[in-house]
Structure formats: C-alpha cells, structure tokens
Amino acid sequence: MTSSPAIRKVFQGVASRQQMLRMFDRHSQRPSRWETDATPLYAGEWFEIAEPEHDYMFDVLPPLWIRGSMFGMREFLTGSVTSVFFALRIDEQTRYFHGYCDLSDKASVEAMRVAIVERESRPLRAMTREERLEHIWSITSDDYRGYAGERWPAVARGKRTVLLYGGKEGSFLKLLEDLTDDEVAAKLPVQLRHLPSPIAA
C-alpha cells in the first residue's frame, strides 16, 4: 500500500450546497478518467461546509460507520476513498467539514481530523500558495480549466491548466502550478487576495 497524499484544504470559507456537490468531483475532467487510479487526486482533500449540508449528507444513505462526531459514506468515490464528514469543536464553536479519506490507511481519518483542527485553529486567516491554487481550481468553471494534452511538452501533460485573459494578446492556457503571484491574485475573489501567508501570520 502506498501512503496517502498530503492532507490539503481545497476551498476557503464555508461551501454552499451547490459548491459542495460540485467539489465532490473536482477532477471529473481528468485524462483517462476510467483507466487510472484516482486515489492520489482525491485522498486528503477537505473543505468546510455548513451544518445543514452536513445533516443532509447524513440522511442521504445510512453511513458506512459512525465514530463520535464523524461518519463515513457508504458509497466509495474511487477504490478505497470515500467521503468522511466531521463535526469538530474549534475555538468553542462547532464547525463542519468534508474530507476524502483512503480507508485502506487506518490512520487516515484521525490524521485528517487532527490536520483540520490544527489548520483551522490558527489565530489569523491565512492561505498558503498551495491553498490559493486549490481554491482557484475549485471555483473555476469546467469551461475554463482542464488538463495539459498532447500539444504540451511531455513533462507537462496531465497537469492542471486554467484559462487566463491576456488583454490584447487574447486568452491562453497556463499550468495552474506556474501561475505568478499577480495571476493568482487576479483569479482569487477580492476578499481573499490580500490574506497573509501562514508564515507572515
């Protein structure tokens, strides 16, 4: 068994029901969708939801399991990866989260719970560069995001791309990971553009 990918926050703020449902399959356009193991794409992703969305998902199907304030979905997304929902007490407030855990790793659920509490217990709002890129990917319409194909250099193929507006030069695709700080800022909602990095916080 390979170890699960890094646990990562993929959306800033509390996702609406529509946003939640859309983010359940953020990688639906990936190449070879039905031919490759998608575990590394999904395992470790998490984001915050509201209580009604948490309760709605609890009522969709009988949970696979319930452990205190956590429950796992009976339907698996891919392989041994399924949705886990958390109701966590953070700074004297109950908050709700969705995460994808690889249940072949028995420690994955607890590791995600600890990571969420640690991340959300920071005294100041902050976003890492990786969180900014993940948020951009989460909020970008399928029409304006995709994956590098055969026209790209071999080293870039299969990596995520987003459409940028180049003014007089017109629109062009760029690898998500190669966005400059200015391009990242332009893609983020106004309220998120000037959040500090965790180091600065």
Side-chain angles (χ1 to χ4, degrees), residues 1 6 8 11 35 63 89 94 97 101 107 114 117 141 161 182:
M1 181 191 72
R8 57 212 179 273
F11 185 84
E35 300 169 12
R89 193 78 175 165
T94 301
F97 301 89
C101 294
V114 170
V117 171
S141 167
T161 63
D182 287 343

Side-chain angles (χ1 to χ4, degrees), residues 128-146:
T128 64
R129 174 175 170 81
E130 291 72 23
E131 288 172 349
R132 295 171 203 269
L133 294 179
E134 293 298 343
H135 187 85
I136 289 169
W137 184 258
S138 292
I139 65 172
T140 301
S141 167
D142 287 346
D143 292 335
Y144 301 101
R145 69 182 186 184

Side-chain angles (χ1 to χ4, degrees), residues 53-198:
E53 282 59 57
H54 171 275
D55 295 347
Y56 169 80
M57 294 307 299
F58 184 82
D59 291 333
V60 167
L61 286 172
L64 178 66
W65 50 259
I66 301 173
R67 299 177 195 160
S69 61
M70 306 180 291
F71 69 91
M73 290 294 287
R74 183 170 299 278
E75 290 189 350
F76 285 74
L77 175 70
T78 181
S80 54
V81 175
T82 194
S83 292
V84 176
F85 291 86
F86 303 81
L88 303 175
R89 193 78 175 165
I90 301 174
D91 296 333
E92 305 305 318
Q93 180 182 1
T94 301
R95 295 166 61 185
Y96 303 87
F97 301 89
H98 165 270
Y100 276 126
C101 294
D102 181 356
L103 299 188
S104 68
D105 177 357
K106 294 182 179 180
S108 65
V109 175
E110 179 61 14
M112 178 164 284
R113 185 194 68 78
V114 170
I116 292 172
V117 171
E118 180 179 310
R119 170 63 182 84
E120 295 304 300
S121 296
R122 293 178 185 164
L124 295 175
R125 291 179 65 205
M127 292 178 77
T128 64
R129 174 175 170 81
E130 291 72 23
E131 288 172 349
R132 295 171 203 269
L133 294 179
E134 293 298 343
H135 187 85
I136 289 169
W137 184 258
S138 292
I139 65 172
T140 301
S141 167
D142 287 346
D143 292 335
Y144 301 101
R145 69 182 186 184
Y147 294 82
E150 293 181 0
R151 295 183 179 182
W152 291 75
V155 69
R157 291 175 192 163
K159 292 185 176 182
R160 295 180 291 177
T161 63
V162 291
L163 189 68
L164 296 178
Y165 297 98
K168 294 179 180 178
E169 300 175 2
S171 303
F172 61 96
L173 289 173
K174 188 169 183 178
L175 293 181
L176 179 68
E177 64 187 41
D178 288 345
L179 295 182
T180 66
D181 290 346
D182 287 343
E183 290 166 343
V184 168
K187 283 283 187 184
L188 286 173
V190 173
Q191 70 272 19
L192 301 180
R193 290 178 183 173
H194 304 293
L195 291 181
S197 68

